């Protein structure tokens, strides 16, 4: 089946209500271009480095403005609307970095909590400790939809290829990677990681991103992107600001790519011997 997909690029601020208005405007525009699957970026609802400030505006899932607005939009427009993620308050005081997929009837199909926490120390003093506030997910998701099998990842998950491989083996034909990549890591790795995940698994990758300088002072890389199973970039946004990237997704291309290079089928189990040179307590190879 062929369908039109859209990746929405945003520059979310600290106010969820304003971000919900931006999301609604861009989603309606994407649907107006014929997209039946629309994805928004990681942390659509708010990008806020100050944890106290973030907690002050957080709601649980039932009362979150992004969740409510997305459900209504999906039903109004008759589309699959994928909120890449938004911050959701949990009962224990921590936060979930949670994505949501809504069907054309406005009903939630599934959610996905980001599994891998962005705990890193980068150059120039840039440091992040996502695990200090967020509870990691523990379950991958694969949604069997009318137009194809959709897998889920969020941002830092892209650096863990085993998550992608397991979903590919389970039948994923399209993989979602909504993100808020930093400018520093994005310049170095964003495109190459997305293309690598697409090539090694033979599926489409759709990655809606945050892009620009945000109210909280951070800078995200942008370049929202749709990649085909051969690693070709079908559409890409610029570095900063709002945007919509659109592409026709022909799911048959997944099976063509996997027939040419059947690495999913050719994979083999193997062991690992750690060999030390003779004289250091090991055995020579």
């Amino acid at each position: 089946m062929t369908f039109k997909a859209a990746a929405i690029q945003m520059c979310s601020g600290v106010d969820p209500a304003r971000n919900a208005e931006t999301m609604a405007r861009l989603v309606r525009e994407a649907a107006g271009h014929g997209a039946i699957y629309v994805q928004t970026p990681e942390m659509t609802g708010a990008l806020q480095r100050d944890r106290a400030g973030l907690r002050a505006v957080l709601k649980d899932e039932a009362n979150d403005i992004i969740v409510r607005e997305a459900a209504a939009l999906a039903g109004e427009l008759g589309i699959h609307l994928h909120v890449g993620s938004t911050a959701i308050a949990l009962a224990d005081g921590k936060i979930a970095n949670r994505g949501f997929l809504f069907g054309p009837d406005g009903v939630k199909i599934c959610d996905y909590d980001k599994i891998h926490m962005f705990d890193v120390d980068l150059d120039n003093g840039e440091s992040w400790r996502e695990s200090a506030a967020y509870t990691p997910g523990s379950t991958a998701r694969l949604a069997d939809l009318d137009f194809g099998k959709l897998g889920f990842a969020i941002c830092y998950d892209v650096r863990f290829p085993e998550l992608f491989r397991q979903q590919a083996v389970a039948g994923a034909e399209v993989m979602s990677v909504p993100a808020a990549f930093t400018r520093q890591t994005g310049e170095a790795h964003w495109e190459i990681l997305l293309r690598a995940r697409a090539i090694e698994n033979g599926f489409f990758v759709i990655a809606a991103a945050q892009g620009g300088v945000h109210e909280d002072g951070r800078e995200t890389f942008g370049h929202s992107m749709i990649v085909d199973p051969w690693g070709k970039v079908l559409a890409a946004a610029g570095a900063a600001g709002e945007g919509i990237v659109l592409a026709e997704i022909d799911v048959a291309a997944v099976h063509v790519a996997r027939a040419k290079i059947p690495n999913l089928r050719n994979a083999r189990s193997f062991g690992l011997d750690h060999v030390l040179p003779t004289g250091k307590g090991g055995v020579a190879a």
Side-chain angles (χ1 to χ4, degrees), residues 58-267:
L58 286 188
K59 304 290 183 184
D60 61 16
E61 182 176 323
N63 296 292
D64 183 79
I65 188 171
I66 296 293
V67 173
R68 292 202 312 265
E69 181 69 16
L73 278 169
E76 171 196 332
L77 300 170
I79 63 172
H80 285 83
L81 178 53
H82 178 186
V83 175
S85 86
T86 198
I88 297 294
L90 300 177
D92 63 1
K94 294 198 83 172
I95 305 168
N97 187 343
R98 182 169 295 168
F100 296 89
L101 177 66
F102 297 94
D105 55 2
V107 175
K108 184 176 83 170
I109 295 172
C110 67
D111 55 41
Y112 166 70
D113 286 0
K114 183 178 181 180
I115 292 174
H116 299 98
M117 299 289 94
F118 191 53
D119 292 355
V120 302
D121 297 296
L122 304 175
D123 294 338
N124 303 320
E126 187 176 357
S127 183
W128 300 90
R129 289 293 179 273
E130 199 169 39
S131 63
Y134 292 85
T135 296
S138 58
T139 304
R141 293 277 190 271
L142 181 63
D144 197 342
L145 307 174
D146 291 343
F147 53 78
K149 295 179 177 65
L150 176 69
F152 295 83
I154 297 173
C155 201
Y156 191 49
D157 283 336
V158 77
R159 295 183 184 271
F160 298 85
E162 61 274 16
L163 174 64
F164 290 71
R165 176 51 57 95
Q166 287 190 33
Q167 293 183 72
V169 169
E173 296 162 318
V174 180
M175 195 74 191
S176 59
V177 193
F181 249 61
T182 68
R183 181 186 59 79
Q184 186 176 169
T185 57
E187 287 177 345
H189 301 146
W190 172 245
E191 181 176 331
I192 196 168
L193 283 169
L194 294 176
R195 295 179 68 192
R197 297 296 86 86
I199 293 165
E200 66 199 8
N201 294 294
F203 49 31
F204 287 90
V205 171
I206 302 175
Q210 297 280 356
V213 179
H214 299 261
E215 284 183 282
D216 71 347
R218 84 181 72 195
E219 186 176 2
T220 52
F221 185 61
H223 296 89
S224 298
M225 195 171 294
I226 300 176
V227 183
D228 79 3
W230 206 244
K232 178 182 178 182
V233 177
L234 300 179
E242 299 172 0
I244 300 170
V245 296
L246 297 148
E248 291 287 342
I249 305 297
D250 182 0
V251 174
V254 172
H255 307 287
V256 170
R258 289 175 178 172
K260 291 177 181 177
I261 302 180
N263 62 323
L264 299 181
R265 187 172 70 243
N266 292 345

